[in-house]
Amino acid sequence: FFTEELVTAHAAGEAITVVLSDLISADVAALDERARMVLGAVAAVGRETLHDLLQAVVGLDDAELEPAIRAAVDAHLLVVDRQTGTYRFRHALIGEVVYADLLPPQRTRLHRRVADALQGQTTDALLRPDRAAELAFQLDRAGEHDAAFHALLAAADAAEEVAPAVALAQLE
């Protein structure tokens, strides 16, 4: 059923059909508000998320955050990578649906919080091309276009040392 729906969506030029989106949305809606906040934060981050970054974005203490994460894991929406200690969506489609269901101000606010958390990293971490580019992306999505432009230039500078072609693509 899922395969047929995905093929139908692809043929129609869509990422996901309404039927699949509604099924995933129903699972998300069954969670409490804090668990939905966790899912929204992971969706805004857009990659595997460390606990500290998730906590910074959601703004809950461990006593509130851990049960919310547990609820999302128990609902089979999030999984925990025991080796890296990161959280990620069980399937990328879940993240797409969660992100699409966020209201525009929620998205902007979450991206701003992710950018703030990333800016709080060490200078060495921000000199890595992937982290610098991620900061630029998050700032852009938060509507901070001037800051995103400067972060993108920093990302290109960082990438120039390890991948000149990537740096050129970023600058173009």
Side-chain angles (χ1 to χ4, degrees):
F1 172 74
F2 286 112
T3 303
E4 288 176 3
E5 288 296 311
L6 289 172
V7 169
T8 301
H10 181 71
E14 301 170 355
I16 185 171
T17 63
V18 174
V19 173
L20 285 179
S21 179
D22 287 348
L23 287 171
I24 294 169
S25 292
D27 288 343
V28 172
L31 297 173
D32 68 19
E33 181 180 347
R34 289 184 178 133
R36 290 192 309 270
M37 286 173 50
V38 164
L39 294 176
V42 174
V45 170
R47 61 169 172 82
E48 290 183 340
T49 307
L50 288 167
H51 185 84
D52 291 344
L53 177 59
L54 184 58
Q55 189 169 34
V57 174
V58 175
L60 298 174
D61 61 26
D62 282 332
E64 297 171 316
L65 180 60
E66 290 171 8
I69 294 170
R70 171 56 56 201
V73 169
D74 289 347
H76 304 287
L77 298 170
L78 280 184
V79 295
V80 180
D81 184 326
R82 304 280 182 213
Q83 291 181 333
T84 62
T86 57
Y87 308 108
R88 64 176 170 77
F89 286 104
R90 184 169 170 235
H91 194 281
L93 290 176
I94 298 168
E96 290 178 28
V97 170
V98 169
Y99 190 79
D101 283 346
L102 293 171
L103 297 173
Q106 288 175 300
R107 286 184 198 149
T108 301
R109 190 170 45 255
L110 286 169
H111 286 295
R112 177 74 247 168
R113 289 179 185 165
V114 174
D116 289 344
L118 293 174
Q119 287 174 319
Q121 294 178 338
T122 64
T123 304
D124 289 343
L126 289 174
L127 290 177
R128 289 180 33 197
D130 58 334
R131 294 290 183 229
E134 181 180 21
L135 176 60
F137 172 81
Q138 294 294 341
L139 287 167
D140 184 60
R141 290 288 173 103
E144 303 284 336
H145 303 297
D146 289 340
F149 177 73
H150 292 290
L152 188 58
L153 291 176
D157 288 344
E160 187 175 35
E161 306 233 349
V162 293
V166 172
L168 178 61
Q170 285 183 341
L171 288 172
E172 287 176 344

